[in-house]
Amino acid sequence: MSGAMEAEFDTVATWTAEVATALGPEYALPAACRGSGSPPAIDWLCDAVDMSSGDVLVDIGAGIGGPAAYAARQRGAAPVLVEPEMGACRAAEVLFGLPVVQASGSAVPLADGSADAVWSLGVLCTMADQLGLLRELSRVVRPGGGIGLLVYTATTDVPKDRQPEGNSFPSTETLDTLVRGANLQKVDECPAVDLGAGSADWQERTDRVAAELESRYRDHPAWQLAEQQSKKMGDLIGSCTVVGTLLHLRHRT
Ligand SMILES: C[S@@+](CC[C@H](N)C(=O)[O-])C[C@H]1O[C@@H](n2cnc3c(N)ncnc32)[C@H](O)[C@@H]1O
């Protein structure tokens, strides 16, 4: 993983858990969902995969575990997190007490068909082995189980200097080919932008966490690197060079 990605997904993940703990329990979910998943997006995915109480949800590239913890709270899901960065794994354990496996999304140490539902939010573009991730999602979910993705695709060529380090955004055509290559098919999709960012209250808590992180760590090189990454991502999304889409997939019939 590149230095910038390590700063973003490891060091800042650790700091985020510290800040959320200091601010209070009502900040844990908004802090841990800053990686990508807003409440309306997670609700959409839960509905798509028909999440029910007690369902085992495997979240691959789970970050600090916010989306999975939200699904546990709202739908009674039983999450298992898979995440390669130690800082993020520890942060998820500290904030939510969820079971975490430290591993890559292209080699998940879980049995075939062990999940009722599996998802991966904002992860595919951070991985070199994108087909490997989709194959693991397909392998880990039980036959008939739902597969969710939040994926960022490029609408045009992304100049290298505008690309967040370590990211590679497939075109929608490439993504379709990857989905077919993993023996999956699309059931439904929704542009992330159509679903919004959550309530004003949620937004306020997210902003408070961001402000606290900045006030504590703005002089630290890891914070600055992570900020550059997130600014580049924001610019790409703002200019529609990259778009976020929620996908519901299932095994190809
Ligand atoms: C943008 S964050 C999203 C985190 C989380 N899914 C969320 O929505 O809040 C991307 C995550 O992908 C993880 N990641 C990067 N490379 C990975 C890999 N090879 N396998 C699994 N996860 C990976 C990062 O460590 C990071 O936690």
Side-chain angles (χ1 to χ4, degrees), residues 50-109:
D50 196 19
M51 193 84 71
S52 304
S53 185
D55 279 359
V56 173
L57 164 67
V58 172
D59 184 337
I60 300 185
I64 313 177
Y70 179 93
R73 183 172 298 179
Q74 298 296 327
R75 309 290 176 119
V80 176
L81 312 185
V82 178
E83 165 59 44
E85 290 296 329
M86 182 51 90
C89 293
R90 288 218 182 95
E93 279 168 348
V94 166
L95 287 179
F96 306 113
L98 292 174
V100 188
V101 182
Q102 188 183 11
S104 168
S106 55
V108 175

Side-chain angles (χ1 to χ4, degrees), residues 1 9 32 35-37 59 61-63 67 83-85 103-105 121-123 126-127:
M1 198 171 278
F9 302 140
S36 54
D59 184 337
E83 165 59 44
E85 290 296 329
S104 168
L121 313 188
V123 179
T126 70
M127 285 183 62

